[in-house]
Amino acid sequence: MCFSATASFTASLSLSVLGIATLTQTTSKNQLLLASFPLLFATQQFLEGMVWLNLDHQSSLLYFIGAYGFLGFATGIWLILCPVSVYLLENNPLRKKVILTLAIIGLSLAIYLLSCVIREGVLATNYSGNLLYSNPK
């Protein structure tokens, strides 16, 4: 929802309600990670809303938390949690091995991408009504 703070916060609230409902419907511990995805995405959208509200104050702590938190989800958390959540649900041993391999690849990519974000920094700008995250160097 990178087109306004209102859209990001509305999505965050809606996803939070959906996430709570989803968690109450889980029937096993193996489902909890996947069922938590709406709440995690709600958190990501909330962080992006913080970026929108602080675009004119890019040296503020709220901008920093929002931008790096949002990109932490986009470049790290999802790459790891998506295959791990499927791994927890899978029963077939061969498929579990394949999914575990994908999770390891996701972890490797997440480490690389997060290190790039941290090392190079990030600058969020309003580009044609959308947030554009770029390297300020």
Side-chain angles (χ1 to χ4, degrees):
M1 300 297 143
C2 60
F3 49 88
S4 75
T6 303
S8 292
F9 289 126
T10 301
S12 179
L13 179 63
S14 302
L15 287 163
S16 295
V17 171
L18 178 64
I20 292 167
T22 303
L23 283 172
T24 64
Q25 298 298 311
T26 59
T27 57
S28 78
K29 289 181 182 179
N30 290 351
Q31 297 173 344
L32 285 176
L33 181 57
L34 185 61
S36 70
F37 277 22
L39 285 174
L40 293 170
F41 191 52
T43 303
Q44 184 180 13
Q45 289 305 301
F46 184 84
L47 291 166
E48 189 167 49
M50 288 173 47
V51 174
W52 274 109
L53 293 179
N54 292 282
L55 277 176
D56 295 333
H57 311 287
Q58 294 185 351
S59 61
S60 75
L61 180 61
L62 291 177
Y63 170 83
F64 180 84
I65 291 169
Y68 282 89
F70 177 84
L71 287 175
F73 273 96
T75 63
I77 292 173
W78 293 123
L79 294 174
I80 299 165
L81 293 187
C82 288
V84 169
S85 68
V86 175
Y87 176 85
L88 293 173
L89 296 171
E90 183 57 59
N91 292 320
N92 180 293
L94 178 60
R95 285 188 282 211
K96 278 184 90 92
K97 287 180 184 177
V98 171
I99 296 167
L100 183 59
T101 302
L102 294 173
I104 292 168
I105 292 169
L107 175 63
S108 302
L109 285 170
I111 291 169
Y112 171 73
L113 292 172
L114 284 170
S115 69
C116 289
V117 168
I118 292 167
R119 186 179 59 249
E120 302 294 329
V122 64
L123 177 66
T125 54
N126 184 342
Y127 180 78
S128 297
N130 296 288
L131 284 182
L132 172 64
Y133 294 92
S134 60
N135 178 335
K137 294 181 181 180

